[in-house]
Amino acid sequence: MTPYLSIVVPVYNEEGNLDNLMGRLYPVLRGMGHPFEIIFTDDGSRDRSLEILKRLAGEYPEVRVIEFNGNFGQHMAIMAAFEISRGEIVITLDADLQNPPEEIPKLVAEMELGHDVVGSIRQNRQDSFFRKSASRLVNITTRKMTGMRMTDYGCMLRAYHRNVVDNINRCCEASTFIPALAQTFASSPSEVEVAHAERSEGESKYSLYKLVRLNFDLMTGFSVVPLQLFALTGIVTALGAVAFALFLMARRFVVGAEVEGIFTLFAILFFFIGVTIFGIGIVGEYVGRIYQEVRRRPRYVVRRVHGGSDEG
Ligand code: UDP
Ligand code: MG
């Protein structure tokens, strides 16, 4: 029987959470009375996560586990699960219980009103102050740069209609940000408020570096505004330089030759060198990504799929 709901969970070193997650998720799904499937992607965990997942796949016929060859990141883990998902409605969920599984019926109800993507907004988000401020900044700049209307980009408890998932599956981009990608295919997106809990076990899998990389993916993947802003800065600087040159020329006539203020000049020069290097960096980000895309290497490598009919 083809499932109505597909639940997709990326897992990276979550050994302490998986049994709890399953214990809460399963009753919720049973209670909804539709056929469902749960797809876990083990994103190259180095703890006992895979072992636990394989056990779950053996215990529950609805569970399938994709085993990755290494760590390819949360979004690739979700991509891989999307590809084998069959449900009419596909729901993504974090493994750390920060998104309560009990909110799933709310998302499904909203989908059944005819929306094709239902996002979520975290009510009193339980993360560190630093993490929240970083997210706020990302949400604002992303909205400005991509022009997409989404309140909370980071919350992964989301529902997607089969059509949207099929479209996402047709994209072969190597670095991506799934909520934003889905938004580009959505014809009638909606959002609901969901509760948010503290991470129940373990710690965040996103280091500052990984977080910055992810936001570059979001920025470069969905907008060329950074390039345009940089070109604009260049134009403004050039105009400023012309004005300054005219001013210096006028002074030359009024005051005569002068050599003071050389360090001020250095300071200004260093500033612009900084801006230039920054600009080259932005261009480099895009060029690097273009290079990544044209090589067409596999985005992730699946070692095996456990459970379900794919068991070999
Ligand atoms: N995750 C993953 N691969 C990674 C990093 C994270 O599959 O390289 C999973 C992780 O196991 C969790 C989800 O993505 O289920 C969100 O990660 P996390 O809770 O660490 O992110 P945060 O809540 O701090 O944004
Ligand atoms: Mg989390």
Side-chain angles (χ1 to χ4, degrees):
M1 189 162 37
T2 43
Y4 178 65
L5 293 175
S6 296
I7 312 295
V8 164
V9 190
V11 175
Y12 181 54
N13 297 341
E14 305 278 6
E15 57 182 3
N17 292 318
L18 294 171
D19 279 309
N20 281 339
L21 173 68
M22 201 56 192
R24 281 172 60 184
L25 180 61
Y26 199 74
V28 171
L29 295 175
R30 283 308 286 265
M32 291 178 70
H34 293 295
F36 62 90
E37 64 179 357
I38 306 174
I39 306 171
F40 290 101
T41 306
D42 176 63
D43 188 14
S45 299
R46 279 184 296 264
D47 63 358
R48 288 176 37 254
S49 295
L50 181 63
E51 214 176 290
I52 299 171
L53 289 176
K54 282 202 258 188
R55 195 193 74 224
L56 291 175
E59 279 172 24
Y60 299 89
E62 297 91 345
V63 171
R64 276 186 294 168
V65 176
I66 301 173
E67 182 184 341
F68 268 6
N69 223 345
N71 183 236
F72 294 92
Q74 182 185 4
H75 291 265
M76 285 305 124
I78 295 175
M79 278 284 188
F82 273 4
E83 269 176 31
I84 66 164
S85 71
R86 296 165 299 178
E88 187 71 13
I89 296 177
V90 180
I91 293 172
T92 55
L93 186 73
D94 281 353
D96 57 1
L97 287 166
Q98 287 197 280
N99 314 131
E102 291 76 18
E103 300 281 14
I104 289 175
K106 205 195 260 182
L107 269 90
V108 173
E110 187 74 11
M111 285 294 278
E112 284 169 349
L113 294 178
H115 297 291
D116 52 3
V117 172
V118 176
S120 54
I121 307 168
R122 290 170 278 198
Q123 279 170 324
N124 22 5
R125 184 166 166 198
Q126 305 289 322
D127 274 317
S128 67
F129 173 74
F130 168 72
R131 190 75 174 69
K132 276 195 280 201
S133 333
S135 290
R136 197 166 304 135
L137 191 71
V138 170
N139 282 332
I140 293 172
T141 45
T142 314
R143 260 201 303 275
K144 284 260 178 327
M145 289 201 176
T146 61
M148 287 184 210
R149 300 253 73 84
M150 208 191 304
T151 316
D152 191 352
Y153 279 83
C155 188
M156 291 308 278
L157 179 57
R158 288 169 179 275
Y160 307 99
H161 190 265
R162 181 81 254 155
N163 292 338
V164 174
V165 173
D166 285 342
N167 277 319
I168 291 178
N169 287 343
R170 281 167 46 204
C171 300
C172 302
E173 46 201 55
S175 44
T176 195
F177 196 89
I178 287 168
L181 189 58
Q183 203 73 2
T184 60
F185 296 127
S187 57
S188 154
S190 170
E191 289 179 324
V192 294
E193 289 210 335
V194 295
H196 191 245
E198 253 174 87
R199 192 172 232 290
S200 99
E201 286 288 325
E203 49 192 41
S204 175
K205 304 299 178 277
Y206 280 102
S207 59
L208 182 62
Y209 175 71
K210 257 182 146 179
L211 217 56
V212 170
R213 300 292 327 155
L214 189 69
N215 288 320
F216 266 107
D217 284 349
L218 182 55
M219 233 25 110
T220 58
F222 296 92
S223 147
V224 287
V225 172
L227 287 176
Q228 290 164 345
L229 277 183
F230 194 67
L232 218 62
T233 315
I235 294 171
V236 172
T237 316
L239 289 179
V242 170
F244 191 52
L246 289 177
F247 169 72
L248 286 182
M249 206 157 77
R251 263 183 83 92
R252 185 79 166 79
F253 289 126
V254 180
V255 193
E258 29 176 17
V259 283
E260 276 157 82
I262 193 89
F263 289 108
T264 318
L265 201 62
F266 268 134
I268 296 172
L269 191 65
F270 285 159
F271 172 72
F272 286 120
I273 290 176
V275 173
T276 312
I277 294 175
F278 177 61
I280 295 173
I282 294 181
V283 176
E285 279 293 329
Y286 283 93
V287 174
R289 273 150 221 273
I290 294 168
Y291 183 49
Q292 236 175 26
E293 297 295 347
V294 296
R295 273 184 310 191
R296 297 231 147 264
R297 292 208 184 134
R299 298 180 293 169
Y300 49 81
V301 183
V302 176
R303 189 180 287 152
R304 236 185 108 177
V305 180
H306 306 270
S309 50
D310 295 304
E311 186 74 281

